[in-house]
């Protein structure tokens, strides 16, 4: 399911947990090139700076923590987004 701080379905997660369905979080970075890129959000940038990690790593960790450690699959048409900055 699409899953990032701007879009996640809490009821769906509860249903999956209650019924033993493993959640695979898709697109945790949102739309990196879009006008509302999550990578440009101040809270994400602040957390990345405070933790000395990339903004992408903040978003991936957020997804893992919300899905009880289940799979988080990021996607991109640009190779540069697969590497920490």
């Amino acid at each position: 399911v699409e899953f990032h701080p701007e879009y996640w379905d809490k009821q769906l997660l509860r249903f999956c947990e209650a019924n033993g369905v493993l959640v695979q979080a898709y697109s945790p970075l949102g739309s990196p090139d879009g006008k509302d890129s999550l990578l440009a959000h101040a809270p994400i940038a602040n957390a990345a700076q405070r933790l000395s990690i990339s903004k992408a790593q903040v978003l991936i960790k957020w997804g893992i923590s919300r899905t009880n450690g289940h799979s988080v699959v990021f996607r991109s048409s640009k190779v540069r987004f697969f590497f920490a900055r």
Side-chain angles (χ1 to χ4, degrees):
V1 295
E2 183 176 0
F3 195 84
H4 51 75
E6 291 276 309
Y7 182 85
W8 61 298
D9 188 335
K10 196 179 287 189
Q11 286 182 325
L12 177 61
L13 286 178
R14 284 191 205 126
F15 173 84
C16 290
E17 287 178 4
N19 292 284
V21 177
L22 297 178
V23 173
Q24 185 174 54
Y26 177 76
S27 194
L29 305 181
S31 179
D33 289 334
K35 65 182 175 97
D36 296 321
S37 172
L38 293 172
L39 297 173
H41 285 200
I44 304 301
N46 293 341
Q49 184 176 16
R50 187 179 73 249
L51 299 169
S52 298
I53 60 176
S54 73
K55 293 177 272 189
Q57 287 171 309
V58 169
L59 291 166
I60 292 166
K61 178 151 179 57
W62 181 91
I64 291 170
S65 71
R66 296 297 186 290
T67 60
N68 291 326
H70 296 156
S71 177
V72 174
V73 178
F74 48 96
R75 64 165 185 83
S76 179
S77 60
K78 295 175 179 54
V79 174
R80 65 187 168 106
F81 288 119
F82 287 100
F83 301 96
R85 297 182 218 174

